[in-house]
Amino acid sequence: KLQQVADHSTKGILLHKAREFALLAVSVYNNPYTEFKSFGYIVNIVIAYTSLFHAIFEKRGEAYFYLNDDGTPQKVDGEEKAWELSKCAEVYWQGILSPEKANLEFLVGLRNKIEHDF
């Protein structure tokens, strides 16, 4: 099924990306021909959550990019370096211990093991 993006703002594109990666995560996990189901699910759901947080920050008008000491955005391959999921959760739940934040940190730890150890 083709899905069209009605909202072409940055927030709308980020929300669409979050939805697509969440669906991809579930699709990978449910695919009977996929051998590394958990790995695929975790990597894609981390991307989905990261994009969702970026959309939230975009809606609030909050910057979600790393800055150099002089206040200019850090660049990676010519693009501004956006926060990863851990940083998004840290800023979103500033000083608050929440189960959602703990779950996301756990997912990030699993994702890091997948990406760096396997």
Side-chain angles (χ1 to χ4, degrees):
K1 177 179 176 182
L2 295 176
Q3 295 183 10
Q4 296 181 2
V5 178
D7 184 356
H8 292 284
S9 66
T10 303
K11 177 192 65 122
I13 292 168
L14 288 166
L15 281 174
H16 182 71
K17 178 182 172 184
R19 185 180 310 112
E20 287 296 308
F21 272 93
L23 289 170
L24 181 60
V26 173
S27 178
V28 166
Y29 192 79
N30 288 332
N31 186 339
Y33 299 107
T34 302
E35 291 185 35
F36 296 100
K37 294 173 184 285
S38 296
F39 291 5
Y41 176 84
I42 290 167
V43 169
N44 286 300
I45 206 67
V46 165
I47 293 169
Y49 272 116
T50 304
S51 187
L52 179 62
F53 275 111
H54 290 173
I56 290 168
F57 294 135
E58 187 73 30
K59 181 179 179 181
R60 292 178 174 179
E62 297 177 24
Y64 51 95
F65 298 98
Y66 287 102
L67 302 176
N68 293 317
D69 292 336
D70 62 0
T72 59
Q74 287 183 15
K75 302 269 184 164
V76 175
D77 297 328
E79 299 288 329
E80 292 179 352
K81 182 179 176 183
W83 294 340
E84 73 283 347
L85 183 54
S86 292
K87 177 71 173 177
C88 290
E90 175 187 319
V91 170
Y92 186 79
W93 284 291
Q94 248 176 356
I96 299 171
L97 298 174
S98 75
E100 297 89 352
K101 182 179 177 183
N103 284 343
L104 290 177
E105 291 295 334
F106 178 72
L107 268 177
V108 168
L110 289 175
R111 180 237 168 239
N112 291 342
K113 279 217 154 294
I114 291 165
E115 288 291 317
H116 303 294
D117 292 346
F118 296 109

